[in-house]
């Protein structure tokens, strides 16, 4: 059974060492996350743990304003069948994260990431050209929730 716990720096390090190719670089490159300073500033970050306590993903949001936040995820490579459980955990977490609008960006060529965003309830709202340093485009997503703290 999977669980969600408050993220620690050790969780972040483990997830980033095992992250899918390019994922960590993209997050840092666009300034979505500076985890070391964000954890110190009480970033709302959580870790999805596997049955054996292994880190499978780190998730969180960065507030844009009182109604809107940007979601970020670092997921370890080779998740396989555990993706279904992770998706359930993250959907529940997003439903209760306290923001009316949650935004996310996914590389245009990262089809698996787009599918996952849509499974989480995100809807594509546009394309941002040359979003990444290497000139790659991003698809911008938004997720609405009716439940806010």
């Amino acid at each position: 059974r999977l669980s969600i716990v408050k993220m620690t720096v050790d969780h972040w390090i483990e997830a980033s060492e095992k992250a899918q190719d390019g994922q960590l670089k993209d997050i840092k490159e666009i300034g979505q996350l500076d985890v070391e300073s964000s954890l110190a500033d009480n970033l709302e970050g959580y870790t999805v743990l596997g049955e054996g306590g292994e880190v499978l993903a780190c998730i969180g949001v960065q507030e844009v304003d009182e109604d809107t936040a940007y979601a970020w995820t670092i997921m370890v490579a080779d998740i396989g069948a555990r993706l279904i459980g992770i998706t359930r955990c993250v959907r529940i977490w997003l439903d209760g994260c306290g923001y009316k609008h949650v935004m996310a960006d996914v590389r245009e060529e990262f089809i698996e990431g787009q599918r996952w965003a849509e499974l989480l309830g995100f809807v594509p709202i546009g394309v941002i050209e040359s979003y990444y340093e290497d000139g790659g485009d991003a698809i911008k997503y938004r997720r609405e929730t009716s439940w806010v703290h």
Side-chain angles (χ1 to χ4, degrees):
R1 178 168 186 173
L2 305 181
S3 60
I4 295 182
V5 299
K6 189 81 170 156
M7 184 178 73
T8 67
V9 173
D10 289 339
H11 293 157
W12 173 263
I13 291 168
E14 184 176 340
S16 43
E17 286 174 350
K18 299 175 182 177
Q20 297 175 11
D21 289 341
Q23 192 178 25
L24 185 61
K25 178 183 175 290
D26 284 350
I27 287 176
K28 287 185 174 184
E29 180 175 290
I30 60 177
Q32 276 188 338
L33 185 63
D34 176 359
V35 74
E36 291 79 11
S37 66
S38 295
L39 279 172
D41 295 336
N42 297 316
L43 171 74
E44 189 169 343
Y46 292 86
T47 303
V48 179
L49 297 174
E51 291 180 11
E54 72 278 16
V55 172
L56 301 178
C58 291
I59 60 173
V61 294
Q62 282 190 307
E63 186 172 282
V64 174
D65 60 43
E66 66 181 34
D67 291 330
T68 308
Y70 251 91
W72 55 266
T73 303
I74 294 291
M75 193 174 307
V76 301
D78 301 321
I79 279 298
R82 296 177 294 186
L83 184 61
I84 295 168
I86 293 170
T87 301
R88 285 186 194 128
C89 287
V90 174
R91 280 186 71 99
I92 291 167
W93 181 80
L94 283 167
D95 286 341
C97 75
Y99 294 94
K100 186 175 180 180
H101 314 283
V102 180
M103 311 298 285
D105 303 318
V106 178
R107 269 192 181 269
E108 190 171 46
E109 65 270 13
F110 186 29
I111 302 304
E112 295 89 353
Q114 294 171 36
R115 285 188 198 129
W116 194 57
E118 292 172 16
L119 284 172
L120 291 172
F122 286 91
V123 176
I125 60 170
V127 175
I128 306 169
E129 294 182 4
S130 301
Y131 188 62
Y132 299 98
E133 284 183 10
D134 64 4
D137 297 341
I139 297 179
K140 182 174 277 306
Y141 286 88
R142 180 171 50 209
R143 184 182 196 274
E144 305 291 326
T145 182
S146 58
W147 189 82
V148 180
H149 292 303

